[in-house]
Amino acid sequence: MRHGDVVQGAYALRVRACLGVFAGMHLAEHERELLGFNDFYIEFKQHATMKTQAPWLQLTQNLLGKAENVLVLTGDAMDEEETLAGTMSTSFSIRDENPTSVFTFYNVHYAKRALLYTFGEFEMADDDRRLTTRLGGEVATVYPKLYDFAFCCLTCLAMARYSKRTRYYKQQASVYRKELLVRTEHGCVNCVPLLALISAEKRALKDKSG
């Protein structure tokens, strides 16, 4: 097997790791699958990809009740504080010279936002959204922001239901959704399950307003 095939195969597994939890898979089955992916990464020395998958494995384990604090991505798969500390410099700027640090930083925050959104901690998810939006320009050409747009949209729609700034959050959600749809039209079909969640949030907001 060629090295390029191994690398691309590892990337494909990571995408499945990200989306599996939103695609209707049983969580226990998804966890077993991700642990199997780790065996592949170790065998073929794809440790960087395994590191960027860790937040999604930890997210799955949190949802299964396998973490001391379900709102923190710390457990068997990773330590949230330790992982993020390794990706940031003292100037609070992503270390662009290390792509693995960039990918890891964003995977942690995307998984974190999904976790907070799932448990209804919408204000905390919104705080995370504003943090990563502030830093997002630094990696806009490096990392596909597919998940970022989806989770930001979901968070804003939820905030539109529960905050007094309904108009602001609806406008923000619309921007994120448009960015997501553009990528879907260009073949990024991996976000279809997330678009279904967005449709559900939009309906909930409409029912509240109606």
Side-chain angles (χ1 to χ4, degrees), residues 205-210:
L205 178 60
K206 182 179 179 180
D207 289 346
K208 179 186 176 182
S209 303

Side-chain angles (χ1 to χ4, degrees), residues 99-115:
T100 299
S101 292
V102 175
F103 297 161
T104 301
F105 174 87
Y106 272 84
N107 272 275
V108 170
H109 279 285
Y110 296 163
K112 177 77 171 182
R113 193 176 308 135
L115 185 69

Side-chain angles (χ1 to χ4, degrees), residues 3 10 15 41 48 50 69 91 95 114 125 132 134 136 139-140 162 172 177:
H3 177 70
V15 171
Y41 300 142
M50 183 168 71
N69 184 342
S91 62
R95 295 172 180 167
T132 54
R134 180 160 61 88
V139 295
Y162 293 105
Q172 291 294 302
R177 184 172 180 274

Side-chain angles (χ1 to χ4, degrees), residues 10 14 37-39 41-42 46-55 77:
R14 186 187 63 193
F37 292 172
N38 281 350
D39 293 337
Y41 300 142
I42 293 170
Q46 298 299 304
H47 300 289
T49 304
M50 183 168 71
K51 188 174 183 179
T52 60
Q53 177 186 277

Side-chain angles (χ1 to χ4, degrees), residues 116-190:
L116 295 171
Y117 168 81
T118 300
F119 280 102
E121 297 291 345
F122 304 130
E123 290 187 6
M124 293 174 65
D126 190 47
D127 288 342
D128 190 80
R129 174 187 72 89
R130 287 186 280 110
L131 168 66
T132 54
T133 297
R134 180 160 61 88
L135 295 170
E138 300 181 40
V139 295
T141 61
V142 179
Y143 188 82
K145 294 176 69 63
L146 187 67
Y147 308 117
D148 190 22
F149 292 135
F151 298 143
C152 285
C153 183
L154 287 165
T155 296
C156 287
L157 287 171
M159 287 295 292
R161 283 192 288 141
Y162 293 105
S163 78
K164 295 181 180 179
R165 302 177 66 191
T166 300
R167 183 176 180 181
Y168 163 77
Y169 281 112
K170 286 176 68 175
Q171 290 175 339
Q172 291 294 302
S174 178
V175 171
Y176 291 127
R177 184 172 180 274
K178 286 179 181 177
E179 293 287 355
L180 195 60
L181 289 174
V182 167
R183 282 153 180 77
T184 303
E185 291 169 359
H186 285 81
C188 294
V189 296
N190 291 324

